[in-house]
Amino acid sequence: MLKAVQILGWSSGLTISQRLTKTRKSSTVSFISTSLNLSTFSSVTSSSPRRIFSFNPTRMSSSLPGSDPVANSPAFVSVQSAVDVRKIKFCQWCGGPTKHEIPDGEEKLRAICTHCGKIAYQNPKMVVGCLIEHEEKILLCKRNIQPSHGLWTLPAGYLEVGESAAQGAMRETWEEAGATVEVISPFAQLDIPLIGQTYVIFLAKLKNLHFAPGPESLECRLFALDEIPFDSLAFSSIYVTLNLYLEDLKNGKPKFHYGTINKRPGSSPSDIRAFSLDYHLQP
């Protein structure tokens, strides 16, 4: 369940101008992240004019993929401040008190048990969900839990042990929206280092038109593409995902996206636009 998920947001600027070139045998496959300009545009499809909530590209705030982040870049700050290990005061295995040191051969501060010597390693959590379109409408859920109670989101939540990412996304959709869906393809992977989360969002379609809010949702609704409540979205990851999807429709068809969401220093946790999207890659 998504009870304590990301408290991050978009900045007014989307920084996503990057290139990654990959050589495979004699051919070169290039993955290019074009500079998205999701400013107000007249149409997503040629048949119906639509007004889309906008954001504009600004400067790139991180180094090229595969290189070391610049120390004062958002990417560096996010990785360094992902989790405060000093809050881990007792061993999860034996209950003994911990000390906080950098183990030999490592580079990060860890919580080390003073009794059994075990090290508490912290790993990111995976959040999985579905972007469901039906007849040019998107299924959204209004949250009935904190954080972001009363705001809209895609059905999504934490992946459970023993299920694949696609299975988890379908389960979360059933739990939050009472909808049975068929996964079509992966759409976006969005890493959020500051809070140790990775979002994997799948494109999916309804198997039938039966859906209803589960315990964690106040309401479920199909929104027309030009009526998506961008001013009332719960999380930056959802803001990013929906804008990328609408931009893809404008350009012809959806494609897979990868990016890193980094919080803008000093911004309010409730500001869903206070961040940059770095390392944005797409075919």
Side-chain angles (χ1 to χ4, degrees), residues 83-253:
V83 179
D84 186 359
V85 298
R86 291 182 177 85
K87 292 182 179 179
I88 303 176
K89 301 193 179 291
F90 299 98
C91 176
Q92 60 181 308
W93 293 280
C94 73
T98 60
K99 60 181 179 179
H100 301 94
E101 298 177 353
I102 300 176
D104 293 340
E106 299 193 21
E107 299 178 352
K108 291 186 176 181
L109 190 70
R110 309 286 188 188
I112 306 170
C113 181
T114 57
H115 287 176
C116 69
K118 289 185 177 180
I119 302 173
Y121 289 100
Q122 296 166 300
N123 304 109
K125 293 183 178 295
M126 181 177 288
V127 178
V128 292
C130 288
L131 194 167
I132 304 155
E133 182 177 4
H134 177 76
E135 297 181 350
E136 296 190 352
K137 294 182 179 180
I138 300 294
L139 182 64
L140 297 179
C141 301
K142 181 179 284 189
R143 290 174 60 81
N144 191 31
I145 56 175
Q146 295 292 354
S148 302
H149 182 275
L151 299 180
W152 293 93
T153 183
L154 295 171
Y158 290 121
L159 183 67
E160 299 280 0
V161 173
E163 63 185 4
S164 69
Q167 290 171 334
M170 290 187 289
R171 173 185 52 77
E172 287 289 342
T173 300
W174 170 253
E175 292 177 355
E176 297 187 1
T180 56
V181 298
E182 176 184 344
V183 166
I184 299 172
S185 66
F187 176 69
Q189 177 182 332
L190 300 171
D191 295 338
I192 313 174
L194 184 67
I195 56 173
Q197 290 182 3
T198 289
Y199 269 72
V200 177
I201 302 296
F202 293 89
L203 295 179
K205 63 181 181 180
L206 292 170
K207 288 187 175 181
N208 55 61
L209 286 179
H210 300 296
F211 59 86
E216 295 185 3
S217 301
L218 292 169
E219 182 182 354
C220 297
R221 188 193 307 178
L222 285 167
F223 285 89
L225 298 180
D226 58 353
E227 296 177 349
I228 294 173
F230 281 99
D231 288 332
S232 302
L233 293 180
F235 306 116
S236 61
S237 57
I238 306 305
Y239 184 91
V240 175
T241 300
L242 290 171
N243 271 294
L244 291 175
Y245 181 71
L246 293 177
E247 181 70 8
D248 281 356
L249 292 184
K250 177 189 173 186
N251 293 329
K253 65 178 182 179

Side-chain angles (χ1 to χ4, degrees), residues 11-23:
S11 67
S12 58
L14 174 64
T15 51
I16 53 174
S17 177
Q18 290 253 338
R19 293 175 180 265
L20 174 63
T21 300
K22 178 179 179 181
T23 302

